[in-house]
Amino acid sequence: VDHEHYSKERSASLDLLLRFQRLLVSKLYPGDCVGQAPNTYSPDLLGVGSLLKKYTALLCTHIGDILPVATSIASTSHRHFAEVSRVVDGDLTGILLPELVVSIVLLLSKNAGLMQEAGAIPLLAGLLEHLDRFNHLAPGKERDDNEDLAWPGIMGSFFTGQSCRNNEEVTLIRKADLENHNKDGGFWTVIDGKVYDIKDFQTQSLTGSSIL
């Protein structure tokens, strides 16, 4: 139901592009080609890789033209940023690009040789500066930067002088405390200025400790 709802909201051309993008990715998803040397890939597979590169180039060119204009309008005010973000989210930038990036990362992890041969990855790097400029306009970005510069184990309200809600006592955890706790077999981590104990989750996770 949700898929049908979102499909109706998208234009027919955008939906067709999304289907075409997914078709390209599915054709490149590794089967028997895993571990093959670049010179042993079939012509059909290399042809799909070349098509993905051309598709990515066209998509990046379009997004590269849109984002500077979007950034210029969004910089006017927070209201403009919210409205522009809504428009961009429903355009190629918000629908095609995120799924394409995730798909290419997945393909790269499965068959790096084939993806390097296709040459689509460097094209995406050209969008980083445009995306970064737009994201820097997000409300609250300066506050987030200040929290990143401070030791994240201390609540942000401690620095701003704001009292805690309902006068609850705040436990301040020093960096040394966290490091010592983890050395003793614990698993504390810092997310948005708060320290969490994810020891129980670690035993259930399949991603490994380094990713956590």
Side-chain angles (χ1 to χ4, degrees):
V1 176
D2 289 339
H3 174 71
E4 293 177 357
H5 173 71
Y6 287 121
S7 295
K8 290 178 181 178
E9 288 185 346
R10 291 194 299 259
S11 66
S13 58
L14 188 58
D15 197 57
L16 184 62
L17 280 173
L18 183 59
R19 291 173 182 268
F20 175 70
Q21 177 176 297
R22 290 173 175 174
L23 179 62
L24 286 177
V25 172
S26 67
K27 294 295 183 181
L28 287 171
Y29 195 79
D32 298 332
C33 65
V34 177
Q36 291 183 1
N39 57 354
T40 62
Y41 294 133
S42 68
D44 289 344
L45 200 59
L46 292 175
V48 176
S50 177
L51 192 57
L52 176 65
K53 181 179 180 180
K54 292 178 181 178
Y55 169 81
T56 304
L58 291 172
L59 181 64
C60 290
T61 298
H62 176 78
I63 295 175
D65 291 339
I66 286 178
L67 280 179
V69 178
T71 301
S72 177
I73 298 174
S75 63
T76 307
S77 67
H78 289 170
R79 183 176 63 82
H80 284 81
F81 177 84
E83 190 63 25
V84 170
S85 296
R86 185 185 63 80
V87 174
V88 168
D89 192 51
D91 187 52
L92 305 183
T93 310
I95 294 178
L96 298 182
L97 182 61
E99 186 170 315
L100 178 63
V101 171
V102 172
S103 298
I104 287 182
V105 170
L106 176 63
L107 290 171
L108 183 64
S109 68
K110 296 292 184 180
N111 198 333
L114 177 61
M115 292 309 298
Q116 290 173 357
E117 188 76 13
I121 298 174
L123 299 172
L124 294 170
L127 294 178
L128 292 177
E129 185 176 350
H130 294 304
L131 291 167
D132 194 50
R133 287 178 179 173
F134 183 80
N135 289 333
H136 269 64
L137 298 175
K141 189 263 174 187
E142 292 182 1
R143 181 197 64 225
D144 292 340
D145 277 354
N146 290 333
E147 291 179 354
D148 288 340
L149 290 173
W151 159 239
I154 302 178
M155 299 289 289
S157 59
F158 177 80
F159 292 105
T160 59
Q162 298 174 354
S163 60
C164 299
R165 193 180 307 175
N166 298 329
N167 294 322
E168 294 177 351
E169 183 180 354
V170 177
T171 301
L172 301 182
I173 298 176
R174 298 176 303 164
K175 186 175 182 179
D177 295 334
L178 184 141
E179 291 175 346
N180 290 333
H181 178 81
N182 289 348
K183 285 179 181 178
D184 293 335
F187 205 141
W188 286 354
T189 189
V190 180
I191 304 173
D192 292 336
K194 297 189 176 94
V195 177
Y196 292 88
D197 187 351
I198 58 172
K199 181 67 176 177
D200 292 339
F201 181 76
Q202 178 194 12
T203 60
Q204 305 172 18
S205 174
L206 301 178
T207 59
S209 298
S210 60
I211 295 179
L212 287 178

